[in-house]
C-alpha cells in the first residue's frame, strides 16, 4: 500500500503564471530578485514553457508539493501544472493510450512504472538526473526505477513500514522495555497478555485495498526470518508464493494476529480486525486497551487530533525487531517520478525533483520522508519522520520495497490482499498461500 492513498478529489493547477526570473507575477505576487533565483540558476531559464504533472496526491499533499516548487517555477519561467487524481493507477494507462500522457508522473508502484518503461512509453533519465540519482540514493532505491539496466526515474517520497507504535507511558508503568530482538518482542507480548491486556491491535479494512496491512506484516516477518535474498526471490516469483519459508512467516504472523489472547486489543476477538479500518486500528493504544500497533510512518497523520508523538509523548514508534540486535531489516514504500517527455524544461524539472534542495525544502513545509542521502533529518516535521530518515540513511539498514507493490498487480493488489482477508477470517495458511501461487500470471 503506497504513501498518500487517501480520500478526496480535485484537479489542482498551479494558479501562478510563471515568468522568467525577476519578472512580475500575475496576481500581484512579488517578483523574484536575482539573489532569490540564484539557487535555481543551474536549471536555466525556460520562459513560456509548461510542464504537466499527474499524480495521486491531492488536497494538502498536493498543496505542499506546489508550494515547494513555486520558487523553482517562478525563477525558471516554467509553468508547472499539477493534477492530482485518486484514480491515478487506473487512469494513467487510459491517458497514455489516448495520447494524453503527462510530461511527468509520480508513480506509487515501481511495478506500474516498469510496465510503461517496457512498453517504450517512458523516457530514460538524462545524464544530469542520472548523476543526481547516483549521488542521492542507495543502489537499492535506484534499482526500483531501473529496467534492464536503464534508469527511468528517481525516488520522490519514502516511508518506513516496519514501525510498531506504542504508548511510552504504558510501557513505563509496566516496566516494559522497547524490544531489540524478535524474542524480546514475544516476551513483551506475553507479559502484556498475562496482565489481562491484549498486546496487539490491528485493522485490515481499507476500501478497495482491504487486506494490505496483513500483507505488510507477512512481508516484514519474511524479511526478518529469511533475509533479503529469499525476500527478493519470493517477490520475483523465483520461488513459489507458498514456499515453506513463506508459510513459516505467515504462521509466525498468525501466532500474533490470529490469536484471541494477543489480538485484537480494544476491539474484540482476533477476527474483528477484518472489519476494522486501518485508520482507526491503532487508537486503543491511547486508551491502554492495546499495547502495540504495527503500522507505517505515515500513521503519524492518522492519530486523533491533539495526539503528541515522541519518546515521552502520547505515542511513539520503534522498529519491528529482527532476530538479533545487529540486524536492521526495513520494509518500506515510496513514490517515484518519471517522464513521458524529454523537452529541456521537463529535464530541468526532473533534475530539481532529484535534488537534495527539493527534498529539504519539501520537508520544511510539513510531514515528509525522503531516502535522499542529502536530506537533513533536523528538517523533519515529526520525531517519527526524523527516525525514518535516519533509518533510511543508515548504511546498515537492509531496505526492501513493499512486495505487494512489486508483484504483478493481479497478485500484489489482488489475490494477495484478498487472501490475507480470508486468512485472517480463519482460512488455513497452506490453503491461502497455495491459492495465491496458482493465481500468479504465466508469461
Amino acid at each position: 500500500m503506497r504513501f498518500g492513498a487517501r480520500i478526496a478529489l480535485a484537479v489542482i493547477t498551479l494558479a501562478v503564471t510563471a515568468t522568467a526570473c525577476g519578472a512580475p507575477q500575475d496576481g500581484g505576487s512579488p517578483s523574484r530578485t536575482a539573489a532569490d533565483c540564484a539557487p535555481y540558476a543551474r536549471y536555466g531559464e525556460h520562459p513560456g514553457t509548461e510542464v504537466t504533472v499527474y499524480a495521486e496526491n491531492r488536497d494538502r499533499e498536493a498543496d505542499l508539493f506546489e508550494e515547494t516548487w513555486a520558487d523553482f517555477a517562478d525563477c525558471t519561467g516554467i509553468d508547472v501544472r499539477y493534477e492530482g487524481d485518486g484514480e491515478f493507477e487506473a487512469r494513467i494507462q487510459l491517458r497514455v493510450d489516448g495520447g494524453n500522457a503527462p510530461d511527468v508522473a509520480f508513480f506509487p508502484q515501481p511495478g506500474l512504472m516498469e510496465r510503461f518503461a517496457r512498453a517504450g512509453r517512458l523516457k530514460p533519465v538524462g545524464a544530469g538526473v542520472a548523476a543526481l540519482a547516483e549521488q542521492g540514493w542507495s543502489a537499492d532505491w535506484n534499482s526500483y526505477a531501473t529496467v534492464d539496466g536503464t534508469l527511468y526515474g528517481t525516488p520522490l517520497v519514502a516511508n518506513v513500514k516496519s514501525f510498531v507504535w506504542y504508548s511510552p507511558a504504558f510501557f513505563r508503568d509496566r516496566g516494559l522495555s522497547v524490544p531489540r530482538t524478535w524474542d524480546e518482542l514475544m516476551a513483551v507480548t506475553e507479559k502484556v497478555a498475562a496482565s489481562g491486556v491484549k498486546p496487539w491491535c490491528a485493522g485490515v479494512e481499507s476500501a478497495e485495498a482491504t487486506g494490505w496491512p496483513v500483507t505488510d506484516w507477512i512481508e516484514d516477518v519474511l524479511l526478518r526470518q529469511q533475509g533479503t535474498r529469499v525476500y527478493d526471490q519470493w517477490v520475483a516469483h523465483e520461488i513459489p508464493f507458498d514456499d515453506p519459508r513463506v508459510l513459516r512467516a505467515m504462521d509466525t504472523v498468525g501466532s500474533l494476529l490470529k490469536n484471541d489472547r494477543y489480538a485484537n486489543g480494544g476491539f474484540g476477538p482476533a477476527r474483528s480486525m477484518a472489519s476494522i479500518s486501518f485508520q482507526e486500528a491503532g487508537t486503543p493504544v491511547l486508551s491502554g486497551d492495546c499495547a502495540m500497533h504495527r503500522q507505517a510512518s505515515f500513521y503519524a497523520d492518522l492519530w486523533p487530533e491533539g495526539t503528541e508523538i515522541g519518546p515521552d509523548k502520547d505515542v511513539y514508534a520503534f522498529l519491528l525487531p529482527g532476530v538479533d540486535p545487529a540486524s536492521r531489516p526495513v520494509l518500506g514504500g515510496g513514490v517515484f517520478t518519471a517522464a513521458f517527455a524529454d523537452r529541456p524544461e521537463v529535464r530541468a524539472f526532473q533534475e530539481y525533483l532529484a535534488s537534495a534542495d527539493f527534498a529539504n525544502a519539501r520537508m520544511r513545509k510539513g510531514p515528509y520522508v525522503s531516502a535522499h542521502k542529502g536530506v537533513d533529518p533536523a528538517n523533519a516535521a515529526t520525531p517519527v519522520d526524523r527516525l525514518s530518515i535516519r533509518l533510511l540513511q543508515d548504511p546498515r539498514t537492509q531496505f526492501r520495497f513493499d512486495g505487494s507493490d512489486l508483484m504483478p498487480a493481479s497478485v500484489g493488489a489482488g489475490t494477495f490482499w484478498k487472501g490475507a482477508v480470508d486468512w485472517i477470517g480463519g482460512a488455513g495458511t497452506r490453503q491461502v498461500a497455495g491459492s495465491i501461487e496458482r493465481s500468479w500470471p504465466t508469461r
Side-chain angles (χ1 to χ4, degrees):
M1 179 64 178
R2 67 268 180 209
F3 169 86
R6 302 191 187 155
I7 27 184
L9 50 149
V11 171
I12 304 173
T13 55
L14 197 64
V16 176
T17 298
T19 61
C21 178
Q25 305 292 298
D26 282 358
S29 60
S31 60
R32 309 289 177 185
T33 67
D36 293 335
C37 289
Y40 306 98
R42 74 187 71 169
Y43 305 108
E45 295 186 6
H46 307 269
T49 61
E50 176 184 292
V51 173
T52 58
V53 182
Y54 185 53
E56 68 169 2
N57 308 89
R58 294 153 293 160
D59 304 322
R60 185 57 181 154
E61 292 173 357
D63 293 343
L64 291 172
F65 275 139
E66 292 183 301
E67 291 169 13
T68 302
W69 62 57
D71 288 347
F72 164 87
D74 280 351
C75 291
T76 59
I78 301 172
D79 186 359
V80 182
R81 293 188 172 271
Y82 179 85
E83 179 181 349
D85 186 347
E87 300 297 323
F88 169 86
E89 292 168 52
R91 292 177 179 162
I92 181 65
Q93 185 72 59
L94 297 175
R95 289 187 56 154
V96 173
D97 290 345
N100 188 31
D103 294 324
V104 174
F106 295 169
F107 287 95
Q109 294 175 317
L112 181 61
M113 187 171 72
E114 178 183 342
R115 194 169 77 199
F116 286 107
R118 291 194 181 281
R121 311 306 291 264
L122 287 178
K123 303 295 184 184
V125 301
V129 173
L132 288 168
E134 183 175 0
Q135 176 185 350
W137 287 278
S138 68
D140 285 341
W141 274 95
N142 285 324
S143 72
Y144 298 122
T146 300
V147 178
D148 292 339
T150 299
L151 184 66
Y152 285 91
T154 54
L156 182 72
V157 179
N159 63 61
V160 170
K161 295 198 165 195
S162 304
F163 278 140
V164 177
W165 291 87
Y166 72 106
S167 161
F170 183 98
F171 269 49
R172 183 178 61 248
D173 293 346
R174 288 161 178 77
L176 302 172
S177 298
V178 169
R180 299 167 302 162
T181 65
W182 189 266
D183 286 346
E184 290 182 3
L185 179 72
M186 293 306 298
V188 168
T189 295
E190 181 53 35
K191 188 170 182 178
V192 172
S195 74
V197 176
K198 291 189 177 185
W200 293 95
C201 43
V204 306
E205 192 281 320
S206 181
E208 72 278 6
T210 293
W212 69 263
V214 173
T215 65
D216 279 6
W217 253 110
I218 294 169
E219 293 163 12
D220 236 345
V221 171
L222 180 66
L223 186 60
R224 279 153 178 75
Q225 289 182 339
Q226 304 298 335
T228 55
R229 186 178 65 86
V230 170
Y231 181 88
D232 292 343
Q233 291 174 333
W234 175 65
V235 169
H237 205 220
E238 294 171 359
I239 62 173
F241 191 98
D242 56 351
D243 183 275
R245 292 163 291 190
V246 181
L247 300 183
R248 181 191 168 205
M250 292 179 69
D251 283 339
T252 300
V253 176
S255 72
L256 297 173
L257 298 190
K258 299 178 73 172
N259 184 338
D260 284 334
R261 189 163 180 266
Y262 289 165
N264 190 18
F267 295 110
R271 293 185 183 188
S272 67
M273 68 184 65
S275 61
I276 303 299
S277 73
F278 87 92
Q279 293 96 335
E280 66 174 320
T283 53
V285 170
L286 293 171
S287 61
D289 294 316
C290 163
M292 295 174 284
H293 176 59
R294 184 212 160 279
Q295 193 47 272
S297 51
F298 55 70
Y299 201 78
D301 293 335
L302 299 177
W303 292 104
E305 185 175 356
T307 302
E308 294 189 86
I309 299 172
D312 300 313
K313 304 296 184 182
D314 299 322
V315 292
Y316 196 44
F318 61 82
L319 183 67
L320 185 70
V323 294
D324 61 71
S327 65
R328 191 157 298 191
V330 171
L331 184 75
V335 176
F336 293 77
T337 176
F340 290 91
D342 59 359
R343 303 188 308 276
E345 62 271 23
V346 176
R347 289 198 296 270
F349 184 58
Q350 280 188 289
E351 288 186 21
Y352 177 58
L353 294 181
S355 69
D357 290 342
F358 170 81
N360 279 305
R362 170 60 188 83
M363 199 159 51
R364 292 188 192 97
K365 294 185 179 298
Y368 176 79
V369 173
S370 170
H372 198 291
K373 297 175 186 174
V375 161
D376 184 354
N379 292 329
T382 73
V384 169
D385 282 0
R386 195 154 39 249
L387 180 60
S388 299
I389 292 167
R390 286 177 175 145
L391 279 170
L392 294 172
Q393 291 181 339
D394 190 333
R396 296 171 298 172
T397 292
Q398 299 163 299
F399 179 86
R400 283 298 182 270
F401 209 89
D402 182 339
S404 65
D405 284 345
L406 298 174
M407 294 174 181
S410 62
V411 177
T415 54
F416 194 10
W417 285 355
K418 181 182 183 304
V421 176
D422 295 341
W423 182 68
I424 284 295
T429 299
R430 190 174 296 277
Q431 170 193 348
V432 169
S435 176
I436 298 170
E437 167 60 22
R438 290 189 294 276
S439 75
W440 202 285
T442 57
R443 292 185 184 276

